[in-house]
Amino acid sequence: MRLHIEVRTLVLVRRVAGFGAAAAMSLYLLVKLVWIAAEVWQGTAQWVLLNAITVVMALAGAALGLALAQSWGTRLPGWLVLPLGWVAGGFLVSMIPYMIVASLVAPSAPEPAATTPAWESALIGVGFAGMAVALVVGLPLFLRERWPRAFTGRVGRERADGRFLWVLPPLGVLTATWISWAAGSTYGLLTVCDTQGRLLMANSALCAAGAGWSLWTLGPWGSGRTPVWLPMAVGFVASGSLFSWGAWRLAWLVAGTYQPVELRGVAVAEHCVAVVAGLAVLVALTQAYGRR
């Protein structure tokens, strides 16, 4: 009876978190739709494409939230829900450490955002933070219901066979590079990073280090006594962050609408390595799960 009550409680928490994620992303979606309408009305449509892409992403995020909350979400095919959750977790959950530290260290908005109306900034902030927090709660519960072997027990002998340990050196290079930039180094940069830029670099370094740790822990030489949910969860979010943010920045860099603080060649190499490393860590996680 007690176990049944605990399961019902976890299901209720998942449902509340899922609806919360959908509601939070709807706020962000509202702002983006207002921006697109204003640009079309004023004839300044140079950012319509970017905003249209973020609208599609917001719709996908809201749909993911509803899938986490509704019973039909548990019947969705894994090939559909896993990539969506991986990208959403990579984009948002991985930014929670940055959002917490930035609110304490650099609470003031950068100069370009000063022209944004307060209500728009508030809705965007609530939308991002609400979606991230809701995913932290709801996504692990959903994944644990669908794939319990990935979150129960210890690593043990059923682990990845080490074919993806070649990713550790690139992850180490990314970690060291981002830490050096966060510490104030300007090698490979066009300009000195401001406080928020350095915090973003530190957050990226944290993700790269987390991905490397999960890969090592699930590999042949990791500790078999580690609870398996820990490297699975850390690796899932960290690899999703490397892939999602790397692909996003790389796409707009190639399109010519994104001006990085890094030298162009450095930025291209940096984001290409992040995308490949993120994919490789995800494959290693699925291999470790398959062995279980």
Side-chain angles (χ1 to χ4, degrees):
M1 176 63 71
R2 182 179 178 181
L3 179 60
H4 181 65
I5 294 175
E6 290 179 354
V7 170
R8 291 186 61 182
T9 301
L10 291 177
V11 171
L12 178 61
V13 171
R14 170 176 60 81
R15 289 173 62 86
V16 172
F19 283 126
M25 198 61 356
S26 297
L27 299 178
Y28 177 78
L29 176 62
L30 174 63
V31 174
K32 287 297 183 174
L33 291 176
V34 170
W35 285 2
I36 291 177
E39 288 177 349
V40 173
W41 177 263
Q42 297 171 4
T44 57
Q46 64 266 27
W47 294 105
V48 167
L49 176 59
L50 175 60
N51 286 323
I53 293 176
T54 56
V55 163
V56 174
M57 295 173 65
L59 288 172
L64 176 62
L66 293 177
L68 299 181
Q70 299 284 359
S71 58
W72 53 260
T74 60
R75 298 190 295 271
L76 290 174
W79 60 264
L80 177 62
V81 69
L82 264 181
L84 189 57
W86 183 56
V87 171
F91 266 127
L92 296 175
V93 175
S94 66
M95 296 299 291
I96 288 179
Y98 163 77
M99 289 188 285
I100 294 175
V101 177
S103 66
L104 300 174
V105 176
S108 59
E111 188 65 27
T115 58
T116 304
W119 69 271
E120 292 182 357
S121 299
L123 290 183
I124 291 175
V126 172
F128 268 113
M131 181 71 175
V133 173
L135 285 178
V136 166
V137 177
L139 187 58
L141 293 176
F142 177 85
L143 295 176
R144 191 180 186 279
E145 288 184 34
R146 288 290 302 268
W147 296 278
R149 289 183 180 273
F151 295 90
T152 56
R154 301 189 179 276
V155 174
R157 297 180 179 179
E158 300 83 4
R159 60 182 76 213
D161 59 14
R163 282 181 292 173
F164 294 95
L165 290 181
W166 59 266
V167 186
L168 288 176
L171 286 173
V173 171
L174 287 177
T175 302
T177 300
W178 286 330
I179 287 177
S180 69
W181 289 341
S185 171
T186 58
Y187 185 76
L189 300 181
L190 289 171
T191 182
V192 180
C193 293
D194 58 12
T195 301
Q196 292 200 13
R198 292 167 68 175
L199 289 177
L200 284 172
M201 295 295 184
N203 196 78
S204 298
L206 181 64
C207 289
W213 174 81
S214 66
L215 190 64
W216 177 268
T217 303
L218 292 171
W221 303 293
S223 173
R225 296 187 298 272
T226 304
V228 72
W229 68 266
L230 191 56
M232 283 287 186
V234 171
F236 189 79
V237 172
S239 63
S241 177
L242 292 172
F243 173 83
S244 302
W245 284 109
W248 175 261
R249 291 164 179 155
L250 186 62
W252 292 109
L253 180 62
V254 172
T257 57
Y258 168 61
Q259 181 58 49
V261 297
E262 306 95 332
L263 296 171
R264 185 177 179 85
V266 173
V268 171
E270 166 194 356
H271 300 318
C272 284
V273 171
V275 168
V276 173
L279 282 172
V281 172
L282 178 65
V283 174
L285 294 180
T286 57
Q287 184 196 62
Y289 171 76
R291 286 173 173 261
R292 297 178 66 82

